[in-house]
Amino acid sequence: MSETETTTPVPSAGSQQSYSHLSPRLAVGDSEPDRNLALELVRVTEAAAIAGGAWVGRGDKNGADGAAVDAMRSLLDTVNLNGVVVIGEGEKDEAPMLFNGERVGNGAGPEADVAVDPIDGTRLTALGYNNALAVLAVAERGSMLDPSAVFYMDKLVTGPEAADMVDLRLPVKQNLHLIAKAKGKRINQLNVCVLDRPRHAKLVEEIRDAGARTRFIMDGDVAGGIAAAREGSGVDALMGIGGTPEGIVTACAIRAIGGVIQGRLAPTDEAEREAAAAAGHDVDDILTTDQLVTSDNCYFAATGITDGDLLRGVRYEGDRVTTQSIVMRAKSGTVRTVEAEHQARKWESYTRA
């Protein structure tokens, strides 16, 4: 069972304070990420959220993403990690990005795969809508799936109760009945999170015909996927086609909180299909949580940019900036909520929009 804790506020990443009491240095040559890495990762997502949050409602998603990328890259370089970005955002829309293959961390720590999404929900940020997050996931080197330039996957996410019952190959109605039975609910009490896209018209019709309700999200299905797996979120499942990077990031969180994510690669054209085949992927295969991220020694960290179901957004009040973050470690099943207060003047180089 997951443990939820509220930690003492973490000092701002822009301050000159020492973090040695929070996250002891890892010895060079350590072979896997250490448990003390968790709070270091929160510093990184805080930086990206504060930088991106200054652009909320300004209508410039690339400006917001660029600021968040710069902040995330800068703070990542201070973390005791010998990381390689294996899941980087930006390629599908030519936005600023931390690119695949980029080395991150100070090189003094464990070798690791790193998945980054400085802003999960750039459009949400630009328009001032809810559920934008700064997201980071880390796992042992070689443990994250390489999707081979297939940017989208069909997903099914639900909580621990129905994790062993659902199957992405089953009809939507059957999966919903299984989820309802496992949760002890009537099917008309189920809420299913779906990205609001024309491609999901048939899926939405099937969900409603089964008797369940839909909860649309505009963008950024990491928050929706985590909500579908967490008790008390008001969301019982996430269904539909979303980003493959977001699916792998979500899998790191699911490993910590329980539940299941199943995915099936969804190439958008023949070039993507050929890339998948060349890498040995069968696009008809159902990928489980353990296949998306094979190691249980993995971490997920996120900081709210705008208010949402998972986290509160960044608040700017005079010389005070407040953030709310969540960090999970799969190996221990620990989930921590981190409330932090930062001095705005320490962040001027990141937040000047």
Side-chain angles (χ1 to χ4, degrees), residues 5 21 32 57 59 64 80 123 127 148 222 229 261 269 316 338 341:
E5 302 178 5
H21 64 297
E32 61 181 36
N80 284 321
R123 185 166 62 133
L127 298 178
S148 304
V222 171
I261 175 170
D269 55 32
Y316 303 88
V338 181
E341 183 176 312

Side-chain angles (χ1 to χ4, degrees), residues 50-241:
I50 291 170
W55 293 77
V56 169
R58 296 173 64 91
D60 184 353
K61 68 176 189 176
N62 282 350
D65 205 27
V69 166
D70 288 346
M72 181 170 278
R73 179 180 281 121
S74 177
L75 266 290
L76 264 175
D77 285 345
T78 71
V79 175
N80 284 321
L81 194 67
N82 188 2
V84 177
V85 175
V86 297
I87 301 294
E89 268 287 36
E91 291 182 19
K92 66 187 175 192
D93 56 7
E94 298 183 354
M97 63 177 173
L98 280 146
F99 59 87
N100 287 354
E102 181 173 350
R103 285 275 176 182
V104 293
N106 63 12
E111 293 190 1
D113 286 349
V114 179
V116 297
D117 200 346
I119 300 182
D120 182 44
T122 53
R123 185 166 62 133
L124 303 178
T125 301
L127 298 178
Y129 290 147
N130 286 355
N131 285 316
L133 302 172
V135 173
L136 176 65
V138 172
E140 289 182 44
R141 188 76 182 103
S143 62
M144 289 185 184
L145 176 76
D146 178 0
S148 304
V150 180
F151 296 120
Y152 294 94
M153 67 163 51
D154 196 6
K155 303 173 193 175
L156 170 59
V157 184
T158 192
E161 304 93 337
D164 295 329
M165 302 172 69
V166 296
D167 192 317
L168 191 54
R169 292 164 291 198
L170 295 175
V172 169
K173 183 175 183 179
Q174 187 173 349
N175 275 321
L176 291 175
H177 276 288
L178 291 169
I179 293 169
K181 180 179 179 181
K183 291 194 165 197
K185 294 184 174 183
R186 295 190 300 272
I187 198 165
N188 63 6
Q189 295 175 318
L190 295 184
N191 291 306
V192 183
C193 188
V194 181
L195 275 169
D196 188 6
R197 298 288 187 274
R199 63 176 177 262
H200 289 148
K202 184 174 184 297
L203 170 63
V204 169
E205 183 180 347
E206 290 178 355
I207 291 169
R208 291 173 175 169
D209 284 348
R213 299 176 289 188
T214 54
R215 181 177 293 188
F216 286 116
I217 53 176
M218 282 187 58
D219 289 299
D221 63 1
V222 171
I226 294 172
R230 292 196 84 188
E231 185 178 354
S233 69
V235 177
D236 299 288
L238 177 139
M239 293 181 169
I241 295 173

Side-chain angles (χ1 to χ4, degrees), residues 243-282:
T244 302
E246 290 86 346
I248 296 169
V249 169
T250 301
C252 289
I254 297 290
R255 272 190 164 275
I257 61 178
V260 65
I261 175 170
Q262 294 181 4
R264 178 170 49 208
L265 295 177
T268 58
D269 55 32
E270 194 56 35
E272 285 190 18
R273 187 174 295 274
E274 290 175 1
H281 298 308
D282 184 339

